[in-house]
């Protein structure tokens, strides 16, 4: 008898288990002796149900783990923003950004250039404070591509990019390659 038909909605899994075993035994009795041994239709139905529930639970666990990872990443991003916002000068800002962004993106070096909208070029950070700053056009290098697209790019190897420009991207300093 189905207990839900009588108005009771709380059926425990322990009460359902004997019914499963009874159904399996009844199916075994009905089976012809010439059938190869295996699962009955009822048993396969229950296995599918159990696998579906387990799959649903695993998918939910993965979503929760992913959500926790996103929350941790957002918290770290906020900490970086707060720390960079504490800068008291341009030099302090540059240093904080280089350290915090390098750690945040897990990279060995960070290149900071300032965008001059009037001249449509990028100015080298250390050159901003000088009279004749070093400027790079937006068409040069990966930094120019990033400025044009207004997106962050994370490259595993900067030297293998087809957009690389050794001077604009800071791969050459004082005529020597930067390691």
């Amino acid at each position: 008898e189905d207990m839900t038909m009588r108005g009771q909605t709380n059926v425990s899994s322990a009460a359902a288990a004997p019914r499963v075993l009874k159904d399996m035994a009844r199916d075994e009795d009905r089976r012809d002796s010439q059938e190869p041994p295996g699962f009955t239709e009822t048993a396969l139905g229950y296995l599918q149900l159990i696998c579906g529930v387990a799959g649903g639970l695993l998918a939910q666990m993965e979503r929760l783990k992913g959500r926790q990872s996103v929350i941790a990443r957002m918290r770290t991003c906020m900490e970086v923003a707060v720390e960079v916002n504490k800068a008291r000068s341009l030099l302090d800002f540059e240093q904080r950004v280089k350290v915090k962004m390098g750690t945040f993106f897990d990279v060995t070096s960070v290149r900071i250039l300032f965008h001059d909208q009037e001249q449509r070029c990028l100015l080298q950070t250390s050159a901003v404070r000088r009279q004749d700053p070093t400027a790079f056009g937006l068409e040069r290098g990966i930094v120019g591509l990033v400025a044009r697209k207004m997106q962050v790019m994370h490259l595993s190897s900067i030297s293998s990019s087809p957009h690389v420009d050794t001077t604009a991207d800071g791969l050459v300093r004082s005529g020597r390659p930067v390691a």
Side-chain angles (χ1 to χ4, degrees):
E1 293 179 22
D2 189 2
M3 294 176 73
T4 57
M5 297 298 254
R6 293 184 182 167
Q8 297 176 355
T9 57
N10 191 5
V11 177
S12 69
S13 59
R19 185 171 146 212
V20 170
L21 295 175
K22 288 177 190 176
D23 288 346
M24 290 174 67
R26 187 175 44 231
D27 287 343
E28 285 289 327
D29 292 340
R30 281 192 229 158
R31 225 188 311 165
D32 294 332
S33 60
Q34 296 174 354
E35 279 186 40
F39 289 106
T40 63
E41 291 295 321
T42 305
L44 284 175
Y46 286 121
L47 282 174
Q48 286 178 332
L49 178 65
I50 290 170
C51 288
V53 169
L57 290 173
L58 287 173
Q60 183 66 17
M61 286 173 58
E62 287 297 317
R63 278 194 294 268
L64 289 174
K65 286 179 184 175
R67 188 174 296 144
Q68 289 170 345
S69 174
V70 168
I71 289 170
R73 192 78 171 157
M74 287 174 59
R75 195 171 283 134
T76 304
C77 186
M78 292 301 294
E79 290 169 1
V80 167
V82 167
E83 190 64 31
V84 168
N85 195 39
K86 292 178 183 177
R88 297 191 181 269
S89 66
L90 182 59
L91 183 60
D92 187 25
F93 171 80
E94 290 178 41
Q95 293 306 312
R96 286 174 186 263
V97 167
K98 285 181 180 181
V99 170
K100 294 298 179 181
M101 289 298 167
T103 304
F104 183 76
F105 288 109
D106 192 26
V107 294
T108 55
S109 65
V110 174
R111 177 108 165 135
I112 301 173
L113 299 174
F114 289 98
H115 182 234
D116 184 346
Q117 288 183 324
E118 291 176 7
Q119 295 184 19
R120 296 194 40 80
C121 66
L122 300 171
L123 302 174
Q124 194 173 353
T125 55
S126 60
V128 171
R129 294 179 290 273
R130 292 192 308 221
Q131 292 293 337
D132 258 344
T134 305
F136 304 104
L138 294 180
E139 69 285 344
R140 288 188 60 191
I142 296 168
V143 293
L145 179 65
V146 167
R148 283 193 312 274
K149 288 189 170 193
M150 296 182 175
Q151 294 178 343
V152 173
M153 292 181 69
H154 191 164
L155 305 170
S156 58
S157 174
I158 191 172
S159 59
S160 63
S161 173
H163 303 285
V164 72
D165 180 296
T166 55
T167 307
D169 292 322
L171 298 179
V172 175
R173 186 182 308 144
S174 304
R176 296 173 304 176
V178 176

